[in-house]
Amino acid sequence: MIINIVDIINSLVQSIMIIATINYCLEDEYKKDNKELILYTIVTCLGFVISYKFIGNSSLNILITHCISLIIPYCLFRKDILGITVGHTIIYFAIAFNSLIFSNVFMTLNMLINKEEYVQILQILLIYAPQFIMAFIILRNLDSINKIYKVIRSRNLSTISFLILSLILDFIGSFSIIIQGENNPIFLNIIFFALSAFLVAITIHFANSEKKAKEIHDLNIALEEKVLELKKIKHDYGSQISYLYALHLMKRHDRLGELLKDIIDGHNSITDQVRVSNRSDSIIATIVNSISTKDINIVIDEQAKIEEFPLEEVELQRVISNIITNSVTAMDGRGIITIRTLYEFNKIIMKIENNGPEIDKGIITKIFEEGFSTKKDDKGNHGYGLSIVKDIVEKEAGKIELFSNNKKTEFKIIMPIRM
C-alpha cells in the first residue's frame, strides 16, 4: 500500500519537473499561466498513474509513459515543438539515467540481502528517494537547466535527433527490465516490434540525411566553381578597368566606348545559375537547359533511368517544362529546384521539388483543373500547363500528387515502369 502512495507522489513530482522545466525554458511568448500548468501537470500525472495501474512496472510502461510525458506538453505549448522536445529530453534524460542507476543498485542489494520484509524499504530508499532528491535539485536550479537548454538548442540539432536520444534511453530501460525477468511475454513481443520499427525509422532518417548532404555537397562544388569563375572575372576586370582609366586620361573616348561595349557583351555569363546533374547524358538536364529558369539553381538527381518512364521525350519535356515554369513563377526567380527520379516497387517516380512559398490549402486541390490560375489573366491564356501535365500522366496510367508546406512544394509523378 505504501509503495502505491509513494509511486503516485513520484508520478506527480515527475510531472511537475517536466511541465515546469519546459515552461521555464521556452520564450516568454510561449509560456503559460499557472492554472494551465497545474491542469496539464495533473493530467500528466493521471496518465502515469493509469498506465502503471494497468500495465505495472513493465518494459511497455516505459514507452507509454514516455509518450504521455511528450504528447501532453505538445498539446499545452504547441507552437515551439523543438523547444518542447529539447526541454523534455533534458528532464527525461535525468529521470531515466537516475532510474537506471538506482534500479540496478536496488536489484543488486535486494539479491544480496534476499529478505522480503526489506524490499519496500529498499525500493523507497534506492528508487524513489533519489528521484525526489533529483527533482528538488532541478526545481531549485531551473536557471542552470535553462543554460543547458540554451547551449543544446543553439547547436541547431533537429527534433528527430532528440527523439532518437530519448527513445534509446527507453529501450535501454525496457531491456533492463526484460533481463531481470519481470515482464509479460506479450509486452516483450511489443517491445521487439517497437525496436524493429525504431531501427527501420532511424535507417530511413539517416539515409535521407545522407542524400540531403550529398545534394548540398554537389551544390557546394558547383558554387565553388562559380566563385572561382567570379574571381577570374574580377581579376580580368581589374586590369581592364586600369586600361580604361588610362584611355580616359588620354581622352580617347571613342576607343573607351568600344571597349566598354566589348566588356558588356563578353562577360554576361556571371549571372548564370548553378546547375548540378549526376549524369552527363541526362535527358532531364537537356530539357531543363531549354527552359528559362532565371536565377534559380537546379539540382538533378537521377537514381532511376528516365528511359523507363512510359513517356515519349516530347511528352516528358511538356511535363517537366510546365511544372518548372510554374515553380519559377511561384518562386519569383530565386531559390532551388530539385528533380529526382527513383524506383518504388513496380513504379518509377519523378519528384520535382522547390523551396518556394507554400501553396494555399484552399487552392491546392484546384491546381490541376483546366483554366485555373493564380495569375491575373484577362485573356484566358493561363491555367492550362498543369492540367496538361495531369492529362499526359493519367493517359499512361500514372498519377500526379502535390504536397506543399512552408519549407517545400513537391510534385510527385508516379508511373508504371516501361516494359
Coordinates of all heavy atoms in Angstrom, one line a residue, residues 30-113:
Y30 N 5.7 31.9 -25.4 CA 5.1 30.6 -25.3 C 4.7 30.1 -23.9 O 4.1 29.1 -23.8 CB 6.1 29.6 -26.0 CG 6.5 29.9 -27.4 CD1 7.8 30.0 -27.7 CD2 5.5 30.1 -28.4 CE1 8.2 30.3 -29.0 CE2 5.9 30.4 -29.7 CZ 7.2 30.5 -30.0 OH 7.6 30.8 -31.3
K31 N 5.1 30.9 -22.9 CA 4.9 30.4 -21.5 C 3.4 30.5 -21.2 O 2.6 31.3 -21.8 CB 5.6 31.4 -20.5 CG 7.1 31.2 -20.6 CD 7.8 32.1 -19.6 CE 9.3 32.2 -19.7 NZ 10.0 30.9 -19.5
K32 N 2.9 29.6 -20.3 CA 1.5 29.5 -19.9 C 1.4 30.0 -18.5 O 2.3 30.1 -17.7 CB 1.1 28.1 -20.0 CG 1.2 27.5 -21.4 CD 0.4 28.2 -22.4 CE 0.6 27.6 -23.8 NZ -0.2 28.3 -24.9
D33 N 0.1 30.3 -18.1 CA -0.2 30.8 -16.8 C -0.3 29.6 -15.8 O -0.3 28.4 -16.2 CB -1.5 31.6 -16.7 CG -2.7 30.9 -17.2 OD1 -2.8 29.7 -16.9 OD2 -3.5 31.5 -17.9
N34 N -0.3 29.9 -14.5 CA -0.2 28.8 -13.5 C -1.4 27.9 -13.6 O -1.3 26.7 -13.3 CB -0.2 29.4 -12.1 CG 1.2 30.1 -11.9 OD1 2.2 29.7 -12.5 ND2 1.2 31.1 -11.0
K35 N -2.6 28.4 -13.9 CA -3.8 27.5 -14.0 C -3.6 26.4 -15.0 O -3.9 25.2 -14.8 CB -5.0 28.3 -14.3 CG -5.5 29.2 -13.1 CD -6.8 29.9 -13.5 CE -7.2 30.8 -12.4 NZ -8.5 31.6 -12.7
E36 N -3.1 26.8 -16.2 CA -2.9 25.8 -17.3 C -1.8 24.8 -16.9 O -1.9 23.6 -17.2 CB -2.5 26.5 -18.6 CG -3.7 27.2 -19.3 CD -3.2 27.9 -20.6 OE1 -2.5 28.9 -20.5 OE2 -3.6 27.3 -21.6
L37 N -0.7 25.3 -16.3 CA 0.4 24.5 -15.8 C -0.1 23.4 -14.8 O 0.2 22.2 -14.9 CB 1.5 25.3 -15.2 CG 2.2 26.3 -16.2 CD1 3.3 27.1 -15.4 CD2 2.9 25.5 -17.3
I38 N -0.9 23.9 -13.9 CA -1.4 22.9 -12.9 C -2.3 21.9 -13.5 O -2.2 20.7 -13.2 CB -2.2 23.7 -11.7 CG1 -1.2 24.5 -10.9 CG2 -3.0 22.7 -10.8 CD1 -1.9 25.5 -10.0
L39 N -3.2 22.3 -14.4 CA -4.1 21.4 -15.1 C -3.4 20.3 -15.8 O -3.6 19.1 -15.7 CB -5.1 22.2 -16.0 CG -6.0 21.3 -16.9 CD1 -6.9 20.5 -16.0 CD2 -6.8 22.2 -17.9
Y40 N -2.4 20.7 -16.7 CA -1.7 19.8 -17.5 C -0.7 18.9 -16.7 O -0.4 17.8 -17.0 CB -0.9 20.5 -18.6 CG -1.8 20.9 -19.8 CD1 -2.6 22.0 -19.8 CD2 -1.9 20.0 -20.9 CE1 -3.4 22.3 -20.9 CE2 -2.7 20.3 -21.9 CZ -3.5 21.4 -21.9 OH -4.3 21.7 -23.0
T41 N -0.2 19.4 -15.6 CA 0.6 18.6 -14.6 C -0.3 17.5 -14.1 O 0.2 16.3 -14.0 CB 1.1 19.5 -13.5 OG1 2.0 20.5 -14.1 CG2 2.0 18.6 -12.5
I42 N -1.5 17.8 -13.7 CA -2.4 16.8 -13.1 C -2.8 15.8 -14.2 O -2.8 14.6 -13.9 CB -3.7 17.5 -12.5 CG1 -3.3 18.3 -11.3 CG2 -4.8 16.4 -12.2 CD1 -4.5 19.2 -10.8
V43 N -3.0 16.2 -15.4 CA -3.4 15.3 -16.5 C -2.2 14.4 -16.8 O -2.4 13.1 -17.0 CB -3.7 16.1 -17.8 CG1 -3.9 15.1 -19.0 CG2 -5.0 16.8 -17.6
T44 N -1.0 14.9 -16.8 CA 0.2 14.1 -17.0 C 0.4 13.1 -15.9 O 0.6 11.9 -16.1 CB 1.5 15.0 -17.0 OG1 1.3 16.0 -18.0 CG2 2.7 14.1 -17.4
C45 N 0.2 13.5 -14.7 CA 0.3 12.6 -13.5 C -0.7 11.5 -13.6 O -0.4 10.3 -13.4 CB 0.1 13.4 -12.2 SG 0.2 12.4 -10.7
L46 N -2.0 11.8 -13.9 CA -3.0 10.8 -14.1 C -2.7 9.8 -15.2 O -2.9 8.6 -15.0 CB -4.4 11.5 -14.4 CG -5.1 12.2 -13.2 CD1 -6.3 13.0 -13.7 CD2 -5.5 11.2 -12.1
G47 N -2.1 10.3 -16.3 CA -1.7 9.4 -17.3 C -0.6 8.4 -16.8 O -0.7 7.2 -17.1
F48 N 0.3 8.9 -16.0 CA 1.4 8.0 -15.5 C 0.7 6.9 -14.5 O 1.0 5.7 -14.6 CB 2.4 8.8 -14.7 CG 3.3 9.6 -15.5 CD1 4.0 10.7 -14.9 CD2 3.4 9.5 -16.9 CE1 4.8 11.5 -15.7 CE2 4.2 10.3 -17.6 CZ 5.0 11.3 -17.0
V49 N -0.2 7.4 -13.7 CA -0.8 6.5 -12.7 C -1.7 5.5 -13.3 O -1.6 4.3 -13.0 CB -1.7 7.3 -11.7 CG1 -2.5 6.4 -10.8 CG2 -0.8 8.3 -10.8
I50 N -2.5 5.9 -14.3 CA -3.3 4.9 -15.0 C -2.5 3.9 -15.8 O -2.8 2.7 -15.8 CB -4.3 5.6 -16.0 CG1 -5.3 6.5 -15.2 CG2 -5.0 4.7 -16.9 CD1 -6.1 7.4 -16.0
S51 N -1.4 4.3 -16.4 CA -0.5 3.4 -17.2 C 0.1 2.4 -16.2 O 0.1 1.2 -16.5 CB 0.6 4.2 -17.9 OG 1.5 3.3 -18.5
Y52 N 0.5 2.8 -15.1 CA 1.1 1.9 -14.1 C 0.1 1.0 -13.5 O 0.4 -0.2 -13.3 CB 1.8 2.7 -12.9 CG 2.5 1.9 -11.9 CD1 3.8 1.5 -12.2 CD2 1.9 1.5 -10.7 CE1 4.5 0.7 -11.3 CE2 2.6 0.7 -9.8 CZ 3.9 0.3 -10.1 OH 4.6 -0.5 -9.2
K53 N -1.1 1.5 -13.3 CA -2.2 0.7 -12.8 C -2.5 -0.5 -13.7 O -2.7 -1.7 -13.2 CB -3.5 1.5 -12.6 CG -4.7 0.8 -12.2 CD -4.7 0.4 -10.7 CE -6.1 -0.2 -10.3 NZ -6.0 -0.7 -8.9
F54 N -2.6 -0.3 -15.0 CA -3.0 -1.4 -15.9 C -1.8 -2.2 -16.4 O -2.0 -3.3 -16.8 CB -3.8 -0.8 -17.1 CG -5.2 -0.3 -16.7 CD1 -5.4 1.0 -16.4 CD2 -6.2 -1.3 -16.6 CE1 -6.7 1.4 -16.0 CE2 -7.5 -0.9 -16.2 CZ -7.7 0.5 -15.9
I55 N -0.6 -1.6 -16.5 CA 0.5 -2.3 -17.1 C 1.6 -2.6 -16.1 O 2.4 -3.6 -16.3 CB 1.1 -1.4 -18.3 CG1 0.0 -1.1 -19.3 CG2 2.2 -2.2 -19.0 CD1 0.4 -0.2 -20.4
G56 N 1.6 -1.9 -15.0 CA 2.6 -2.2 -14.0 C 4.0 -1.7 -14.4 O 4.2 -1.0 -15.3
N57 N 5.0 -2.1 -13.6 CA 6.4 -1.7 -13.8 C 7.0 -2.7 -14.9 O 7.8 -3.5 -14.6 CB 7.2 -1.8 -12.5 CG 8.6 -1.3 -12.7 OD1 8.8 -0.5 -13.5 ND2 9.5 -1.9 -12.0
S58 N 6.5 -2.5 -16.1 CA 6.9 -3.3 -17.2 C 7.7 -2.5 -18.3 O 7.8 -1.3 -18.3 CB 5.7 -3.9 -17.9 OG 4.9 -2.9 -18.5
S59 N 8.3 -3.3 -19.2 CA 9.1 -2.6 -20.3 C 8.2 -1.8 -21.2 O 8.6 -0.7 -21.6 CB 9.8 -3.7 -21.1 OG 8.8 -4.6 -21.6
L60 N 6.9 -2.2 -21.4 CA 6.0 -1.5 -22.2 C 5.6 -0.2 -21.5 O 5.4 0.9 -22.2 CB 4.7 -2.3 -22.5 CG 3.7 -1.7 -23.4 CD1 4.3 -1.4 -24.8 CD2 2.5 -2.6 -23.6
N61 N 5.5 -0.2 -20.2 CA 5.1 1.0 -19.4 C 6.1 2.1 -19.7 O 5.7 3.3 -19.7 CB 5.0 0.7 -18.0 CG 4.4 1.8 -17.2 OD1 3.4 2.4 -17.5 ND2 5.1 2.2 -16.1
I62 N 7.4 1.8 -19.9 CA 8.4 2.8 -20.1 C 8.1 3.6 -21.4 O 8.1 4.8 -21.4 CB 9.8 2.2 -20.2 CG1 10.2 1.7 -18.8 CG2 10.8 3.2 -20.7 CD1 11.5 0.9 -18.8
L63 N 7.7 2.9 -22.4 CA 7.4 3.5 -23.7 C 6.1 4.4 -23.6 O 6.0 5.5 -24.1 CB 7.2 2.5 -24.8 CG 8.5 1.8 -25.3 CD1 8.2 0.7 -26.3 CD2 9.5 2.8 -25.8
I64 N 5.1 3.8 -22.9 CA 3.8 4.5 -22.8 C 4.0 5.8 -22.0 O 3.4 6.8 -22.4 CB 2.8 3.6 -22.2 CG1 2.4 2.5 -23.2 CG2 1.5 4.4 -21.8 CD1 1.5 1.4 -22.7
T65 N 4.7 5.7 -20.8 CA 4.8 6.9 -20.0 C 5.7 8.0 -20.8 O 5.4 9.2 -20.6 CB 5.5 6.6 -18.7 OG1 6.7 5.9 -18.9 CG2 4.5 5.8 -17.8
H66 N 6.6 7.5 -21.6 CA 7.4 8.5 -22.4 C 6.5 9.2 -23.4 O 6.5 10.4 -23.5 CB 8.5 7.7 -23.2 CG 9.3 8.6 -24.0 ND1 10.2 8.1 -25.0 CD2 9.4 10.0 -24.0 CE1 10.8 9.2 -25.5 NE2 10.4 10.3 -25.0
C67 N 5.6 8.5 -24.0 CA 4.6 9.1 -25.0 C 3.7 10.1 -24.2 O 3.5 11.2 -24.7 CB 3.8 8.0 -25.6 SG 4.7 7.0 -26.8
I68 N 3.2 9.7 -23.1 CA 2.4 10.6 -22.3 C 3.1 11.9 -21.9 O 2.6 13.0 -22.1 CB 1.9 9.9 -21.0 CG1 0.9 8.8 -21.4 CG2 1.2 10.9 -20.1 CD1 0.6 7.8 -20.2
S69 N 4.4 11.7 -21.4 CA 5.1 12.9 -21.0 C 5.5 13.8 -22.1 O 5.9 15.0 -21.9 CB 6.4 12.4 -20.3 OG 7.3 11.8 -21.2
L70 N 5.5 13.3 -23.4 CA 5.8 14.1 -24.5 C 4.6 14.7 -25.2 O 4.6 15.9 -25.6 CB 6.6 13.3 -25.5 CG 7.3 14.0 -26.6 CD1 8.3 15.1 -26.0 CD2 8.1 13.0 -27.5
I71 N 3.5 13.9 -25.3 CA 2.3 14.4 -26.0 C 1.6 15.5 -25.3 O 1.2 16.5 -25.9 CB 1.3 13.2 -26.3 CG1 1.9 12.2 -27.3 CG2 0.0 13.7 -26.7 CD1 1.2 10.9 -27.4
I72 N 1.5 15.4 -24.0 CA 0.8 16.4 -23.2 C 1.5 17.8 -23.3 O 0.8 18.8 -23.5 CB 0.6 16.0 -21.7 CG1 -0.4 14.8 -21.7 CG2 0.1 17.1 -20.9 CD1 -0.7 14.1 -20.4
P73 N 2.8 17.9 -23.1 CA 3.5 19.2 -23.4 C 3.3 19.7 -24.8 O 3.1 20.9 -25.0 CB 5.0 18.9 -23.1 CG 4.9 17.8 -22.1 CD 3.8 16.9 -22.5
Y74 N 3.2 18.8 -25.8 CA 3.0 19.3 -27.1 C 1.6 19.9 -27.2 O 1.4 20.9 -27.9 CB 3.0 18.1 -28.1 CG 4.4 17.7 -28.5 CD1 4.7 16.4 -29.0 CD2 5.5 18.6 -28.4 CE1 6.0 16.0 -29.4 CE2 6.8 18.2 -28.8 CZ 7.0 16.9 -29.3 OH 8.3 16.6 -29.6
C75 N 0.6 19.3 -26.5 CA -0.8 19.8 -26.5 C -0.8 21.2 -25.8 O -1.6 22.1 -26.2 CB -1.7 18.9 -25.8 SG -1.9 17.3 -26.7
L76 N 0.0 21.3 -24.8 CA 0.0 22.6 -24.0 C 0.7 23.7 -24.7 O 0.1 24.8 -24.8 CB 0.6 22.3 -22.6 CG 0.8 23.5 -21.7 CD1 -0.5 24.1 -21.3 CD2 1.5 23.1 -20.4
F77 N 1.9 23.5 -25.1 CA 2.7 24.6 -25.7 C 2.6 24.8 -27.2 O 2.6 25.9 -27.7 CB 4.1 24.4 -25.3 CG 4.3 24.4 -23.8 CD1 4.5 23.2 -23.1 CD2 4.3 25.6 -23.0 CE1 4.7 23.2 -21.7 CE2 4.5 25.6 -21.7 CZ 4.7 24.4 -21.0
R78 N 2.4 23.7 -27.9 CA 2.2 23.6 -29.3 C 3.1 24.3 -30.3 O 3.7 23.7 -31.2 CB 0.7 24.2 -29.6 CG -0.4 23.2 -29.2 CD -1.7 23.6 -29.9 NE -2.8 24.1 -29.3 CZ -3.1 24.3 -28.1 NH1 -2.5 24.1 -27.2 NH2 -4.2 24.8 -27.7
K79 N 3.3 25.6 -30.1 CA 3.9 26.4 -31.2 C 5.5 26.3 -31.3 O 6.0 26.6 -32.3 CB 3.6 27.9 -31.0 CG 2.1 28.1 -31.3 CD 1.8 29.6 -31.2 CE 0.3 29.9 -31.4 NZ -0.1 31.3 -31.3
D80 N 6.1 25.8 -30.2 CA 7.6 25.6 -30.3 C 7.9 24.2 -30.1 O 8.4 23.8 -29.0 CB 8.2 26.5 -29.2 CG 9.7 26.6 -29.3 OD1 10.3 26.0 -30.3 OD2 10.4 27.2 -28.4
I81 N 7.8 23.4 -31.1 CA 8.0 21.9 -31.0 C 9.4 21.6 -30.6 O 9.7 20.7 -29.8 CB 7.6 21.2 -32.3 CG1 6.1 21.5 -32.7 CG2 7.9 19.7 -32.3 CD1 5.1 20.9 -31.6
L82 N 10.4 22.3 -31.3 CA 11.8 22.0 -31.0 C 12.1 22.3 -29.5 O 12.7 21.6 -28.8 CB 12.7 22.7 -31.9 CG 14.2 22.5 -31.7 CD1 14.6 21.1 -31.8 CD2 15.0 23.4 -32.7
G83 N 11.6 23.5 -29.1 CA 11.9 23.9 -27.7 C 11.3 22.9 -26.7 O 11.9 22.5 -25.7
I84 N 10.1 22.4 -27.0 CA 9.4 21.4 -26.1 C 10.3 20.2 -26.0 O 10.5 19.6 -25.0 CB 8.0 21.1 -26.6 CG1 7.1 22.3 -26.5 CG2 7.4 19.9 -25.8 CD1 5.8 22.2 -27.3
T85 N 10.7 19.7 -27.2 CA 11.5 18.5 -27.3 C 12.8 18.6 -26.6 O 13.2 17.6 -25.9 CB 11.7 18.1 -28.8 OG1 10.4 18.1 -29.5 CG2 12.2 16.7 -28.9
V86 N 13.5 19.7 -26.7 CA 14.8 19.9 -26.0 C 14.6 19.9 -24.5 O 15.3 19.2 -23.8 CB 15.5 21.2 -26.5 CG1 16.7 21.4 -25.7 CG2 15.8 21.1 -28.0
G87 N 13.6 20.7 -24.1 CA 13.4 20.8 -22.6 C 13.0 19.4 -22.0 O 13.4 19.0 -21.0
H88 N 12.1 18.7 -22.8 CA 11.6 17.4 -22.3 C 12.8 16.4 -22.3 O 12.9 15.6 -21.3 CB 10.5 16.9 -23.3 CG 10.1 15.5 -23.0 ND1 10.7 14.4 -23.5 CD2 9.0 15.0 -22.2 CE1 10.1 13.3 -23.1 NE2 9.1 13.7 -22.3
T89 N 13.6 16.4 -23.3 CA 14.8 15.5 -23.4 C 15.7 15.7 -22.2 O 16.2 14.7 -21.6 CB 15.5 15.6 -24.7 OG1 14.6 15.4 -25.8 CG2 16.6 14.6 -24.8
I90 N 16.0 16.9 -21.8 CA 16.9 17.2 -20.7 C 16.3 16.5 -19.4 O 17.0 15.8 -18.7 CB 17.0 18.7 -20.4 CG1 17.8 19.3 -21.6 CG2 17.8 19.0 -19.1 CD1 17.8 20.8 -21.6
I91 N 15.0 16.8 -19.1 CA 14.4 16.2 -17.9 C 14.3 14.7 -18.0 O 14.5 13.9 -17.1 CB 13.1 16.9 -17.6 CG1 13.3 18.3 -17.3 CG2 12.4 16.2 -16.4 CD1 14.2 18.6 -16.1
Y92 N 13.8 14.2 -19.2 CA 13.6 12.8 -19.4 C 14.9 12.0 -19.2 O 15.0 11.0 -18.7 CB 13.0 12.5 -20.7 CG 12.5 11.1 -20.9 CD1 11.3 10.8 -20.3 CD2 13.2 10.2 -21.6 CE1 10.8 9.5 -20.4 CE2 12.7 8.9 -21.7 CZ 11.5 8.5 -21.1 OH 11.0 7.3 -21.2
F93 N 16.0 12.6 -19.8 CA 17.3 12.0 -19.6 C 17.7 11.9 -18.2 O 18.2 10.9 -17.7 CB 18.4 12.8 -20.4 CG 19.7 12.2 -20.5 CD1 20.0 11.3 -21.4 CD2 20.7 12.5 -19.5 CE1 21.3 10.7 -21.5 CE2 21.9 11.9 -19.5 CZ 22.3 11.0 -20.5
A94 N 17.5 13.0 -17.4 CA 17.8 13.0 -16.0 C 17.0 11.9 -15.2 O 17.6 11.1 -14.4 CB 17.5 14.3 -15.4
I95 N 15.7 11.8 -15.5 CA 14.8 10.8 -14.8 C 15.3 9.4 -15.2 O 15.4 8.5 -14.3 CB 13.4 11.0 -15.2 CG1 12.8 12.4 -14.6 CG2 12.5 9.9 -14.7 CD1 11.5 12.8 -15.1
A96 N 15.5 9.2 -16.5 CA 15.8 7.8 -17.0 C 17.2 7.4 -16.5 O 17.4 6.2 -16.0 CB 15.8 7.8 -18.5
F97 N 18.2 8.3 -16.5 CA 19.5 8.0 -16.0 C 19.5 7.6 -14.5 O 20.1 6.7 -14.1 CB 20.5 9.1 -16.3 CG 21.9 8.8 -16.2 CD1 22.5 8.0 -17.1 CD2 22.6 9.4 -15.1 CE1 23.9 7.7 -16.9 CE2 24.0 9.1 -15.0 CZ 24.6 8.2 -15.9
N98 N 18.8 8.5 -13.8 CA 18.6 8.2 -12.3 C 18.0 6.9 -12.1 O 18.5 6.1 -11.2 CB 17.8 9.4 -11.8 CG 17.7 9.3 -10.2 OD1 17.3 8.4 -9.7 ND2 18.2 10.4 -9.6
S99 N 16.9 6.6 -12.8 CA 16.2 5.3 -12.6 C 17.1 4.1 -13.0 O 17.1 3.1 -12.2 CB 14.9 5.3 -13.5 OG 14.1 6.3 -13.1
L100 N 17.8 4.2 -14.1 CA 18.6 3.1 -14.5 C 19.7 2.8 -13.4 O 19.9 1.6 -13.1 CB 19.3 3.4 -15.8 CG 18.5 3.2 -17.1 CD1 19.2 3.8 -18.3 CD2 18.1 1.7 -17.3
I101 N 20.4 3.8 -12.9 CA 21.4 3.6 -12.0 C 20.9 3.0 -10.7 O 21.4 1.9 -10.2 CB 22.2 4.9 -11.7 CG1 23.0 5.3 -12.9 CG2 23.1 4.8 -10.5 CD1 23.6 6.7 -12.8
F102 N 19.9 3.6 -10.1 CA 19.4 3.2 -8.8 C 18.6 2.0 -8.8 O 18.5 1.2 -7.8 CB 18.7 4.4 -8.1 CG 19.7 5.5 -7.6 CD1 19.8 6.6 -8.4 CD2 20.4 5.3 -6.5 CE1 20.7 7.6 -7.9 CE2 21.3 6.3 -6.0 CZ 21.5 7.4 -6.8
S103 N 18.0 1.7 -9.9 CA 17.2 0.4 -10.1 C 18.2 -0.8 -10.0 O 17.9 -1.8 -9.4 CB 16.4 0.4 -11.4 OG 15.4 1.3 -11.3
N104 N 19.3 -0.6 -10.7 CA 20.3 -1.7 -10.7 C 21.0 -1.8 -9.3 O 21.3 -2.9 -8.9 CB 21.4 -1.4 -11.8 CG 20.9 -1.7 -13.2 OD1 20.3 -2.7 -13.4 ND2 21.1 -0.8 -14.1
V105 N 21.2 -0.7 -8.6 CA 21.7 -0.8 -7.2 C 20.7 -1.5 -6.4 O 21.0 -2.4 -5.5 CB 21.9 0.7 -6.7 CG1 22.3 0.6 -5.2 CG2 23.1 1.3 -7.4
F106 N 19.4 -1.2 -6.5 CA 18.3 -1.8 -5.8 C 18.3 -3.3 -6.0 O 18.3 -4.2 -5.1 CB 17.0 -1.2 -6.1 CG 15.8 -2.1 -5.7 CD1 15.4 -2.2 -4.4 CD2 15.1 -2.8 -6.7 CE1 14.3 -3.0 -4.0 CE2 14.0 -3.6 -6.3 CZ 13.6 -3.7 -5.0
M107 N 18.4 -3.7 -7.3 CA 18.3 -5.2 -7.7 C 19.5 -5.9 -7.1 O 19.4 -7.0 -6.5 CB 18.3 -5.3 -9.2 CG 17.1 -4.9 -9.8 SD 15.6 -5.8 -9.3 CE 16.0 -7.5 -9.9
T108 N 20.7 -5.3 -7.1 CA 21.9 -5.9 -6.6 C 21.8 -6.1 -5.0 O 22.1 -7.2 -4.5 CB 23.2 -5.0 -6.9 OG1 23.2 -4.8 -8.3 CG2 24.4 -5.7 -6.4
L109 N 21.4 -5.0 -4.3 CA 21.3 -5.1 -2.9 C 20.2 -6.1 -2.5 O 20.3 -6.8 -1.5 CB 21.0 -3.8 -2.3 CG 22.2 -2.8 -2.2 CD1 21.8 -1.5 -1.7 CD2 23.3 -3.4 -1.3
N110 N 19.1 -6.1 -3.2 CA 18.0 -7.0 -2.9 C 18.4 -8.4 -3.0 O 18.0 -9.3 -2.2 CB 16.8 -6.7 -3.9 CG 15.5 -7.4 -3.5 OD1 15.2 -7.5 -2.3 ND2 14.8 -7.9 -4.4
M111 N 19.2 -8.7 -4.1 CA 19.7 -10.1 -4.2 C 20.6 -10.5 -3.1 O 20.7 -11.6 -2.6 CB 20.4 -10.3 -5.6 CG 19.4 -10.4 -6.7 SD 20.2 -10.8 -8.3 CE 21.1 -9.4 -8.6
L112 N 21.5 -9.5 -2.7 CA 22.4 -9.8 -1.6 C 21.7 -10.0 -0.2 O 22.0 -11.0 0.5 CB 23.4 -8.7 -1.5 CG 24.4 -8.5 -2.6 CD1 25.2 -7.2 -2.5 CD2 25.4 -9.7 -2.7
I113 N 20.7 -9.1 0.1 CA 20.0 -9.3 1.3 C 19.0 -10.4 1.3 O 18.9 -11.2 2.2 CB 19.3 -7.9 1.7 CG1 20.4 -6.8 1.9 CG2 18.4 -8.0 2.9 CD1 19.8 -5.4 2.0

